Amino acid sequence: GNGYMDGKELQNFIQELQQARKKAGLDLTPEMRAFVDQYGKATDGKIGIVELAQILPTEENFLLFFRCQQLKSSEDFMQTWRKYDSDHSGFIDSEELKSFLKDLLQKANKQIEDSKLTEYTEIMLRMFDANNDGKLELTELARLLPVQENFLIKFQGVKMCAKEFNKAFEMYDQDGNGYIDENELDALLKDLCEKNKKELDINNLATYKKSIMALSDGGKLYRAELALILCAEEN
Protein backbone atom coordinates (compact mmCIF):
# COMPACT_ATOMS: atom_id res chain seq x y z
CA GLY A 1 0.00 0.00 0.00
CA ASN A 2 2.94 2.40 -0.44
CA GLY A 3 1.89 3.60 -3.90
CA TYR A 4 4.25 1.51 -6.03
CA MET A 5 5.38 -2.06 -6.70
CA ASP A 6 8.96 -3.11 -6.17
CA GLY A 7 11.04 -6.20 -5.43
CA LYS A 8 8.97 -9.35 -4.95
CA GLU A 9 5.70 -7.52 -5.65
CA LEU A 10 6.96 -6.58 -9.10
CA GLN A 11 8.28 -10.06 -9.85
CA ASN A 12 4.98 -11.65 -8.78
CA PHE A 13 3.08 -9.25 -11.04
CA ILE A 14 5.29 -10.08 -14.04
CA GLN A 15 4.92 -13.82 -13.43
CA GLU A 16 1.13 -13.55 -13.26
CA LEU A 17 1.02 -11.35 -16.36
CA GLN A 18 2.99 -13.92 -18.37
CA GLN A 19 0.83 -16.80 -17.12
CA ALA A 20 -2.42 -14.96 -17.88
CA ARG A 21 -1.34 -14.10 -21.44
CA LYS A 22 -0.18 -17.68 -22.06
CA LYS A 23 -3.44 -19.13 -20.71
CA ALA A 24 -5.39 -16.84 -23.06
CA GLY A 25 -3.27 -18.06 -25.99
CA LEU A 26 -1.64 -14.66 -26.41
CA ASP A 27 1.98 -13.62 -26.65
CA LEU A 28 3.33 -10.63 -24.76
CA THR A 29 2.99 -7.41 -26.73
CA PRO A 30 6.25 -5.63 -27.66
CA GLU A 31 5.58 -3.12 -24.86
CA MET A 32 5.09 -5.94 -22.36
CA ARG A 33 8.21 -7.74 -23.54
CA ALA A 34 10.29 -4.57 -23.11
CA PHE A 35 8.80 -4.15 -19.64
CA VAL A 36 9.60 -7.74 -18.63
CA ASP A 37 13.16 -7.40 -19.93
CA GLN A 38 13.64 -4.20 -17.94
CA TYR A 39 12.02 -5.20 -14.65
CA GLY A 40 11.86 -9.02 -14.69
CA LYS A 41 15.04 -9.60 -12.71
CA ALA A 42 15.21 -6.30 -10.86
CA THR A 43 14.61 -6.35 -7.14
CA ASP A 44 15.19 -2.67 -6.50
CA GLY A 45 13.09 -1.10 -9.28
CA LYS A 46 9.93 0.84 -8.42
CA ILE A 47 6.94 1.26 -10.68
CA GLY A 48 3.68 3.10 -10.14
CA ILE A 49 0.32 2.46 -11.72
CA VAL A 50 0.63 5.16 -14.38
CA GLU A 51 4.00 3.81 -15.56
CA LEU A 52 2.52 0.32 -15.51
CA ALA A 53 -0.48 1.43 -17.57
CA GLN A 54 1.79 2.03 -20.54
CA ILE A 55 2.03 -1.72 -21.18
CA LEU A 56 -1.71 -2.39 -21.10
CA PRO A 57 -2.95 -3.67 -24.48
CA THR A 58 -6.06 -1.51 -24.43
CA GLU A 59 -7.18 0.79 -27.17
CA GLU A 60 -8.57 3.26 -24.69
CA ASN A 61 -6.11 3.41 -21.81
CA PHE A 62 -7.36 6.46 -19.96
CA LEU A 63 -4.65 6.27 -17.28
CA LEU A 64 -2.14 7.46 -19.86
CA PHE A 65 -3.88 10.82 -19.98
CA PHE A 66 -2.33 11.53 -16.60
CA ARG A 67 1.01 11.77 -18.35
CA CYS A 68 -0.16 15.06 -19.82
CA GLN A 69 1.47 18.33 -18.88
CA GLN A 70 -0.91 19.03 -16.01
CA LEU A 71 0.48 16.33 -13.72
CA LYS A 72 4.17 16.23 -14.53
CA SER A 73 5.37 17.28 -11.12
CA SER A 74 4.33 17.12 -7.47
CA GLU A 75 3.82 20.89 -7.50
CA ASP A 76 1.39 20.66 -10.44
CA PHE A 77 -0.43 17.85 -8.70
CA MET A 78 -0.81 19.80 -5.44
CA GLN A 79 -2.15 22.85 -7.28
CA THR A 80 -4.63 20.59 -9.09
CA TRP A 81 -5.69 19.02 -5.79
CA ARG A 82 -6.29 22.45 -4.25
CA LYS A 83 -8.47 23.43 -7.21
CA TYR A 84 -10.71 20.36 -7.12
CA ASP A 85 -10.96 19.90 -3.37
CA SER A 86 -13.15 22.97 -3.59
CA ASP A 87 -14.70 22.63 -0.12
CA HIS A 88 -11.27 22.06 1.55
CA SER A 89 -12.56 18.83 3.09
CA GLY A 90 -9.24 17.04 2.66
CA PHE A 91 -10.62 14.62 0.10
CA ILE A 92 -12.20 14.58 -3.38
CA ASP A 93 -15.65 13.03 -3.62
CA SER A 94 -17.08 11.39 -6.75
CA GLU A 95 -18.54 14.64 -8.17
CA GLU A 96 -15.27 16.56 -7.62
CA LEU A 97 -13.37 13.63 -9.16
CA LYS A 98 -15.66 13.66 -12.18
CA SER A 99 -14.95 17.37 -12.74
CA PHE A 100 -11.23 16.70 -12.32
CA LEU A 101 -11.29 13.93 -14.96
CA LYS A 102 -13.41 15.97 -17.37
CA ASP A 103 -11.00 18.92 -17.32
CA LEU A 104 -7.97 16.65 -17.53
CA LEU A 105 -9.30 14.78 -20.56
CA GLN A 106 -10.22 18.05 -22.27
CA LYS A 107 -6.65 19.27 -21.78
CA ALA A 108 -5.52 16.06 -23.50
CA ASN A 109 -7.91 16.95 -26.38
CA LYS A 110 -10.06 13.94 -25.58
CA GLN A 111 -13.81 14.43 -25.87
CA ILE A 112 -15.89 11.73 -24.17
CA GLU A 113 -19.56 11.12 -23.47
CA ASP A 114 -20.92 11.72 -19.99
CA SER A 115 -21.64 8.00 -19.51
CA LYS A 116 -17.98 7.22 -20.24
CA LEU A 117 -16.87 9.93 -17.84
CA THR A 118 -19.03 8.37 -15.12
CA GLU A 119 -17.48 4.98 -15.90
CA TYR A 120 -13.95 6.43 -15.62
CA THR A 121 -14.86 8.06 -12.30
CA GLU A 122 -16.11 4.74 -10.92
CA ILE A 123 -12.96 2.97 -12.16
CA MET A 124 -10.75 5.57 -10.50
CA LEU A 125 -12.57 5.12 -7.20
CA ARG A 126 -12.23 1.33 -7.40
CA MET A 127 -8.53 1.59 -8.19
CA PHE A 128 -7.42 4.28 -5.77
CA ASP A 129 -9.93 4.33 -2.92
CA ALA A 130 -7.88 2.16 -0.55
CA ASN A 131 -10.24 2.42 2.43
CA ASN A 132 -13.45 2.12 0.35
CA ASP A 133 -15.08 5.26 1.71
CA GLY A 134 -16.23 6.49 -1.72
CA LYS A 135 -13.80 9.40 -1.85
CA LEU A 136 -10.11 9.94 -2.56
CA GLU A 137 -7.60 11.38 -0.14
CA LEU A 138 -4.50 13.25 -1.23
CA THR A 139 -2.15 10.28 -0.86
CA GLU A 140 -4.57 7.98 -2.72
CA LEU A 141 -4.89 10.25 -5.75
CA ALA A 142 -1.14 10.96 -5.68
CA ARG A 143 -0.60 7.48 -7.13
CA LEU A 144 -1.26 9.13 -10.49
CA LEU A 145 2.20 10.66 -10.20
CA PRO A 146 5.29 8.85 -11.49
CA VAL A 147 7.03 7.23 -8.50
CA GLN A 148 10.05 9.53 -8.62
CA GLU A 149 7.78 12.58 -8.54
CA ASN A 150 5.53 11.37 -5.74
CA PHE A 151 7.17 13.09 -2.78
CA LEU A 152 4.20 12.14 -0.59
CA ILE A 153 5.56 8.58 -0.50
CA LYS A 154 8.54 9.97 1.41
CA PHE A 155 6.30 11.62 3.99
CA GLN A 156 4.32 8.44 4.72
CA GLY A 157 7.03 7.33 7.14
CA VAL A 158 7.24 10.63 9.03
CA LYS A 159 3.57 11.35 9.71
CA MET A 160 2.62 12.31 13.27
CA CYS A 161 -0.42 11.53 15.39
CA ALA A 162 -2.91 14.41 15.76
CA LYS A 163 -1.54 15.45 19.15
CA GLU A 164 2.07 15.56 17.89
CA PHE A 165 1.04 17.39 14.71
CA ASN A 166 -0.91 20.09 16.57
CA LYS A 167 2.00 20.62 18.93
CA ALA A 168 4.42 20.92 16.00
CA PHE A 169 2.12 23.33 14.13
CA GLU A 170 1.88 25.62 17.12
CA MET A 171 5.63 25.48 17.66
CA TYR A 172 6.50 26.45 14.08
CA ASP A 173 3.69 29.00 13.75
CA GLN A 174 5.98 31.33 15.67
CA ASP A 175 3.86 34.47 15.38
CA GLY A 176 0.67 32.57 16.31
CA ASN A 177 -1.31 33.90 13.34
CA GLY A 178 -2.93 30.53 12.60
CA TYR A 179 -0.94 29.64 9.49
CA ILE A 180 2.61 28.77 8.51
CA ASP A 181 4.44 30.90 5.98
CA GLU A 182 7.31 29.82 3.74
CA ASN A 183 10.05 30.65 6.26
CA GLU A 184 8.28 28.81 9.07
CA LEU A 185 7.74 25.80 6.78
CA ASP A 186 11.43 25.90 5.88
CA ALA A 187 12.37 25.59 9.56
CA LEU A 188 9.89 22.77 10.12
CA LEU A 189 11.11 20.78 7.10
CA LYS A 190 14.78 21.23 8.01
CA ASP A 191 14.10 19.75 11.43
CA LEU A 192 12.06 16.91 9.90
CA CYS A 193 14.86 16.09 7.46
CA GLU A 194 17.39 16.11 10.26
CA LYS A 195 15.22 13.83 12.39
CA ASN A 196 14.23 11.45 9.56
CA LYS A 197 17.34 11.13 7.41
CA LYS A 198 16.32 7.70 6.10
CA GLU A 199 13.10 8.96 4.54
CA LEU A 200 13.82 12.62 3.81
CA ASP A 201 16.83 14.07 2.02
CA ILE A 202 17.85 17.59 3.10
CA ASN A 203 19.04 18.16 -0.50
CA ASN A 204 15.41 17.93 -1.64
CA LEU A 205 14.24 20.52 0.87
CA ALA A 206 13.44 23.13 -1.79
CA THR A 207 11.34 20.62 -3.76
CA TYR A 208 9.43 19.50 -0.66
CA LYS A 209 8.75 23.11 0.29
CA LYS A 210 7.62 24.15 -3.19
CA SER A 211 5.20 21.22 -3.47
CA ILE A 212 3.70 21.74 -0.02
CA MET A 213 3.35 25.51 -0.49
CA ALA A 214 1.29 24.77 -3.61
CA LEU A 215 -1.46 23.86 -1.11
CA SER A 216 -1.25 27.26 0.56
CA ASP A 217 -3.68 30.14 0.25
CA GLY A 218 -1.55 32.97 -1.13
CA GLY A 219 1.47 31.87 0.88
CA LYS A 220 -0.56 31.02 3.98
CA LEU A 221 -0.41 27.32 4.81
CA TYR A 222 -3.24 26.57 7.20
CA ARG A 223 -3.40 23.68 9.65
CA ALA A 224 -5.85 21.58 7.59
CA GLU A 225 -3.67 21.75 4.47
CA LEU A 226 -0.43 20.88 6.27
CA ALA A 227 -2.25 18.04 8.05
CA LEU A 228 -2.78 16.37 4.64
CA ILE A 229 1.00 15.93 4.45
CA LEU A 230 2.11 15.43 8.04
CA CYS A 231 -0.80 14.13 10.11
CA ALA A 232 -1.58 10.43 10.17
CA GLU A 233 -5.18 9.26 10.19
CA GLU A 234 -6.41 7.87 13.45
CA ASN A 235 -9.16 5.35 13.83
Side-chain angles (χ1 to χ4, degrees):
N2 58 6
Y4 58 84
M5 287 192 294
D6 65 352
K8 195 65 180 172
E9 294 170 328
L10 195 50
Q11 290 177 340
N12 288 342
F13 169 80
I14 288 170
Q15 186 179 16
E16 192 164 329
L17 171 68
Q18 290 172 313
Q19 288 172 350
R21 296 288 287 179
K22 188 175 180 181
K23 190 175 179 181
L26 300 168
D27 292 326
L28 295 179
T29 65
E31 292 85 1
M32 287 178 179
R33 175 59 55 196
F35 173 80
V36 170
D37 290 344
Q38 183 177 354
Y39 292 101
K41 295 178 182 177
T43 56
D44 56 351
K46 295 179 181 179
I47 189 161
I49 196 164
V50 179
E51 289 98 331
L52 191 60
Q54 293 181 93
I55 70 164
L56 294 177
T58 51
E59 187 179 351
E60 201 172 49
N61 186 352
F62 83 101
L63 278 173
L64 293 185
F65 293 122
F66 298 104
R67 283 295 204 180
C68 75
Q69 187 65 37
Q70 189 178 1
L71 289 182
K72 275 197 172 174
S73 72
S74 284
E75 186 184 1
D76 291 337
F77 170 77
M78 301 294 259
Q79 287 171 345
T80 302
W81 170 273
R82 181 166 175 75
K83 177 181 175 183
Y84 289 96
D85 179 19
S86 53
D87 55 3
H88 300 283
S89 61
F91 58 81
I92 288 179
D93 61 26
S94 58
E95 283 305 308
E96 289 170 329
L97 179 60
K98 193 173 181 180
S99 298
F100 168 78
L101 290 175
K102 185 177 182 180
D103 283 2
L104 197 62
L105 292 167
Q106 283 177 346
K107 288 187 181 200
N109 295 316
K110 180 78 173 176
Q111 299 298 321
I112 60 169
E113 295 175 2
D114 195 63
S115 60
K116 204 70 180 171
L117 187 61
T118 300
E119 181 188 330
Y120 285 170
T121 303
E122 290 171 356
I123 291 171
M124 286 284 290
L125 281 170
R126 284 204 303 272
M127 289 173 70
F128 294 106
D129 181 14
N131 58 2
N132 296 311
D133 61 359
K135 53 198 179 190
L136 296 183
E137 295 161 14
L138 183 69
T139 49
E140 290 172 332
L141 196 61
R143 293 184 182 189
L144 290 170
L145 285 165
V147 173
Q148 67 272 22
E149 267 297 336
N150 188 354
F151 86 107
L152 289 168
I153 290 172
K154 299 279 187 186
F155 281 83
Q156 284 296 91
V158 304
K159 285 193 171 186
M160 315 168 199
C161 70
K163 187 177 180 180
E164 288 175 316
F165 170 75
N166 286 326
K167 187 177 177 181
F169 187 89
E170 284 155 18
M171 183 168 86
Y172 289 95
D173 176 20
Q174 294 173 355
D175 50 12
N177 57 10
Y179 62 83
I180 284 179
D181 62 28
E182 197 165 338
N183 291 329
E184 291 167 335
L185 179 62
D186 190 70
L188 187 158
L189 290 176
K190 277 179 182 172
D191 287 350
L192 266 181
C193 288
E194 201 58 42
K195 187 179 176 183
N196 302 277
K197 289 180 180 178
K198 284 186 179 178
E199 287 92 354
L200 303 175
D201 183 356
I202 192 75
N203 295 318
N204 291 328
L205 184 69
T207 303
Y208 299 152
K209 186 167 69 171
K210 200 173 181 184
S211 296
I212 294 172
M213 285 306 293
L215 285 172
S216 71
D217 182 6
K220 298 176 181 179
L221 187 64
Y222 290 96
R223 191 183 301 251
E225 277 67 40
L226 187 59
L228 293 173
I229 311 294
L230 294 181
C231 189
E233 278 188 56
E234 295 178 337
N235 296 324

